[in-house]
Amino acid sequence: SDNTIAEDLSRVLAVETGATANPEQSMAAVTASLVALGVDTTGLQLYDGAGFSTQNRIPPSVLTQAIRAAVQSEPTHGLLGWLAEAGLTGTLQNRFTSSPGTGVVRAKTGSLTGVTALAGVVITADGRPLAFAALIDGMPYGPEKPQAAIDEFADGLAQCGCRP
């Protein structure tokens, strides 16, 4: 994951939609794209594509809806294969190494000073895929304790017999 590339992609999206590649119009293009996918963007406030702005506000519901929409959309239906796999690949290779989430959590990690997040899909014990997002903000330096809490949450989802 590269924050500079994320910023550049948001600006390319703006240009592709006929807007100017400045932060304001880039974030408007991102928001409009999410709305076009059917995502309820209530509470979403974006000021940059890299995630560095302390003014950004991204509700977990926006992330989970975006994941669901991406999996159901033709150009991005392979999203899950692009995400790190718990205990096995990418930024999750050394997390969930011997827990219920091993191999059944696929997610994107996020870590900046004071912020830790994990958003993706977990396959529950009864085989149901659940989109999830967990974000922790305003924490002291060091992501270890917040990551452990988020991992425990995802492990709980993995153990769930969640069928109605």
Side-chain angles (χ1 to χ4, degrees):
S1 62
D2 184 317
N3 295 332
T4 302
I5 291 174
E7 181 71 30
D8 289 346
L9 287 174
S10 69
R11 291 174 185 239
V12 168
L13 177 63
V15 170
E16 289 293 318
T17 60
T20 303
N22 64 33
E24 184 176 297
Q25 291 189 25
S26 296
M27 295 308 94
V30 169
T31 302
S33 294
L34 289 169
V35 169
L37 288 170
V39 174
D40 177 359
T41 58
T42 301
L44 180 65
Q45 297 176 29
L46 297 174
Y47 292 87
D48 71 348
F52 292 140
S53 174
T54 58
Q55 296 178 38
N56 287 336
R57 297 291 180 263
I58 305 172
S61 61
V62 170
L63 292 174
T64 56
Q65 289 176 59
I67 290 165
R68 288 185 63 186
V71 171
Q72 295 170 358
S73 178
E74 182 58 36
T76 53
H77 72 274
L79 171 73
L80 298 183
W82 307 340
L83 297 174
E85 190 171 8
L88 300 170
T89 64
T91 54
L92 292 179
Q93 183 173 3
N94 297 317
R95 290 170 65 178
F96 301 94
T97 55
S98 59
S99 73
T102 304
V104 297
V105 172
R106 285 194 170 265
K108 171 68 182 89
T109 60
S111 294
L112 293 171
T113 302
V115 180
T116 294
L118 187 67
V121 173
V122 59
I123 305 300
T124 65
D126 61 4
R128 181 178 178 197
L130 294 177
F132 73 94
L135 297 89
I136 300 175
D137 187 11
M139 62 188 189
Y141 183 77
E144 295 80 19
K145 288 183 181 180
Q147 282 180 354
I150 290 172
D151 293 358
E152 186 177 331
F153 168 71
D155 279 337
L157 293 176
Q159 296 175 77
C160 179
C162 300
R163 293 222 178 259

